[in-house]
Amino acid sequence: MKRPLPQKAAWIASLLLTVVVIVVAVRWLGEGWFSSPDYTLFVHTADASRDPTRVIASVHASRGSAWSAYLERPDSAEKLLWVEKVGGTGSQRLFGSHSVNGSELTFTPASPLIHGSMYHIVFVPPGQGAQSDAGFRTGFISVSGKGRLELIHQIPEPAAVEPPSVQSIHPGTEDIPANHLKFYVTFSEPMEQGVFMERIKLRRPDGSEIAGPFRATELWSPDGKRLTVWLHPGRQKTGVNLNEDEGAVLRENEDVTLVISGDWRAASGRKLGSEFKRTYRVAKPDHDQPDPAKWVVHSPKPGTSDPLRIEFPEPLDWALLQNSLSVTTSGDGVIEGRIETGNDEREWLFIPKSAWSHGEFRIKVSPVLEDLAGNNLERPFEVEVADARPLTSANGAQLAFKIE
């Protein structure tokens, strides 16, 4: 029995559609699933700030399954995508982290890139060796292909802004004792670390450099702007080997100049640009402890926010003055306020947050408060702990004052 013509035409059309679907599927499977995916390597900023030093490298794959090996073994990503800093005698891989988001593999450097530096970004597809040149392509912003991809990325020089500077050096006084211990150098912005022994020098009046004057310990404030520079205690303390063999760093009645190199770079990469100098006159050694009984307290007037002022007979340690004294009520209630120093650290000023009221108050002094030679309220610097005779209790000293 013959099929009616309309039914036969419908059957043929259905057969042709099935063939077309099979052909498309075979072609898709052949060219997509069984062949290497296409990759695009590109760099972009990490956030909306568009900071050129905060860039990340990403690879987009035409199939998300390209990263299945990474998802099984995350440590394998370092063989697929990495960033190298180019310069000097070779290249150096950057530390960082990898992540996968859908069809993209991303490498995020652990720290900002450096202005003026060049970087080499490399992607090696899964299954290819690091030395393979199959399908190799290179570019500058982005590059696509099925094989090894590389980018050359230059971080621009920073915009023309004010260079970093030395804001202050403490102690502020012109005279320091021959057994002086510490300098505090404050910069306008965070500085390069690990180089201070090369960037700071001490010089005699004839310009000659004093050999080995500093302790190698590098002590920075949390914001990276203030450096504590210790003169070597072994040379400043009499009777120890370094002092006997090499002599004290400072000589009584002689000038000494602290010199900070203009080649010192800030963390931003910019140099100080010019040398900074501070000259001190070396006085006789100081072996006496600070004595709160000799301090003069100037009480403010009630109803005002005038500073509470303490006068010292000698300069005290600038940094320790910021946190070694506090003000309380007679009942130990803490008075909030701001601390300043004056007269080259011979004055301590406390400006209250709220106006002073009538009453009795206390100034609490920590026993660790030092003078310039490291003598504190517990003991002189050159006395052994077992032989020390504290001027105060273990809790420090207290000074009472009235506002009336």
Side-chain angles (χ1 to χ4, degrees):
M1 179 179 175
K2 294 183 178 181
R3 294 174 181 270
L5 188 59
Q7 291 183 357
K8 186 175 183 179
W11 177 79
I12 293 173
S14 176
L15 178 62
L16 289 175
L17 180 61
T18 302
V19 170
V20 169
V21 170
I22 292 174
V23 170
V24 170
V26 169
R27 184 173 181 180
W28 178 79
L29 288 172
E31 295 185 0
W33 184 258
F34 296 108
S35 65
S36 299
D38 292 313
Y39 299 101
T40 299
L41 173 63
F42 60 100
V43 292
H44 53 106
T45 54
D47 51 44
S49 69
R50 298 186 179 275
D51 182 348
T53 68
R54 294 281 184 178
V55 300
I56 57 180
S58 296
V59 181
H60 175 81
S62 58
R63 290 200 310 269
S65 59
W67 313 125
S68 57
Y70 164 78
L71 296 175
E72 293 174 4
R73 290 190 56 192
D75 60 332
S76 65
E78 63 186 27
K79 298 179 180 179
L80 304 179
L81 177 63
W82 65 89
V83 178
E84 304 169 335
K85 184 177 181 294
V86 180
T89 58
S91 58
Q92 180 180 9
R93 284 200 187 191
L94 304 187
F95 292 104
S97 59
H98 293 82
S99 62
V100 168
N101 183 11
S103 59
E104 287 187 3
L105 171 66
T106 294
F107 174 79
T108 303
S111 57
L113 306 189
I114 299 174
H115 284 286
S117 297
M118 183 174 292
Y119 294 86
H120 183 207
I121 303 164
V122 181
F123 168 68
V124 178
Q128 292 190 19
Q131 305 303 319
S132 174
D133 290 331
F136 169 73
R137 292 187 180 182
T138 187
F140 294 97
I141 302 298
S142 66
V143 61
S144 300
K146 293 180 178 293
R148 179 187 178 105
L149 305 176
E150 297 184 8
L151 292 176
I152 299 298
H153 187 68
Q154 177 84 32
I155 304 298
E157 292 287 352
V161 295
E162 286 293 320
S165 62
V166 176
Q167 291 193 320
S168 66
I169 295 180
H170 290 90
T173 180
E174 295 181 356
D175 298 325
I176 55 176
N179 55 346
H180 177 69
L181 273 188
K182 288 177 283 186
F183 297 102
Y184 298 101
V185 184
T186 304
F187 299 90
S188 59
E189 58 185 276
M191 297 297 292
E192 177 186 16
Q193 299 186 13
V195 298
F196 90 97
M197 296 283 279
E198 305 164 20
R199 300 293 186 238
I200 301 183
K201 307 294 181 184
L202 270 183
R203 299 192 183 278
R204 302 281 185 205
D206 62 2
S208 61
E209 182 181 327
I210 301 175
F214 303 126
R215 182 181 178 183
T217 304
E218 188 171 16
L219 299 173
W220 287 94
S221 59
D223 63 5
K225 295 182 180 181
R226 190 188 77 202
L227 174 66
T228 302
V229 183
W230 280 76
L231 293 180
H232 202 297
R235 292 185 62 182
Q236 291 298 86
K237 191 171 185 177
T238 57
V240 298
N241 290 340
L242 276 177
N243 179 271
E244 298 291 335
D245 296 341
E246 300 182 20
V249 174
L250 306 179
R251 298 171 181 170
E252 188 176 346
N253 296 323
E254 182 179 88
D255 287 351
V256 65
T257 301
L258 187 72
V259 182
I260 299 175
S261 171
D263 289 331
W264 202 341
R265 292 181 181 272
S268 63
R270 300 188 301 273
K271 292 183 179 181
L272 288 173
S274 58
E275 199 172 65
F276 190 94
K277 298 179 181 180
R278 177 70 185 272
T279 299
Y280 293 92
R281 182 69 175 173
V282 181
K284 66 179 183 179
D286 178 8
H287 300 295
D288 297 326
Q289 296 169 258
D291 186 355
K294 298 179 181 179
W295 299 355
V296 179
V297 178
H298 298 273
S299 301
K301 294 180 180 180
T304 72
S305 295
D306 293 342
L308 165 68
R309 185 164 63 92
I310 305 175
E311 289 186 69
F312 311 119
E314 62 173 339
L316 298 183
D317 184 287
W318 171 77
L320 292 176
L321 283 173
Q322 312 300 318
N323 52 33
S324 294
L325 294 92
S326 60
V327 182
T328 70
T329 65
S330 58
D332 277 345
V334 176
I335 305 296
E336 295 184 356
R338 187 179 78 255
I339 292 171
E340 295 181 1
T341 60
N343 193 20
D344 297 333
E345 294 81 65
R346 292 180 178 86
E347 287 185 347
W348 183 85
L349 299 96
F350 179 82
I351 299 91
K353 187 175 181 180
S354 302
W356 295 104
S357 59
H358 291 270
E360 297 182 351
F361 299 85
R362 295 174 185 164
I363 302 165
K364 294 187 175 182
V365 187
S366 168
V368 302
L369 179 61
E370 298 177 358
D371 59 22
L372 303 187
N375 306 304
N376 61 33
L377 274 63
E378 291 183 309
R379 64 185 178 91
F381 177 70
E382 296 211 10
V383 174
E384 297 300 327
V385 174
D387 300 326
R389 295 182 179 179
L391 288 176
T392 67
S393 69
N395 295 324
Q398 290 192 21
L399 301 174
F401 70 98
K402 290 183 179 181
I403 298 180
E404 53 188 7

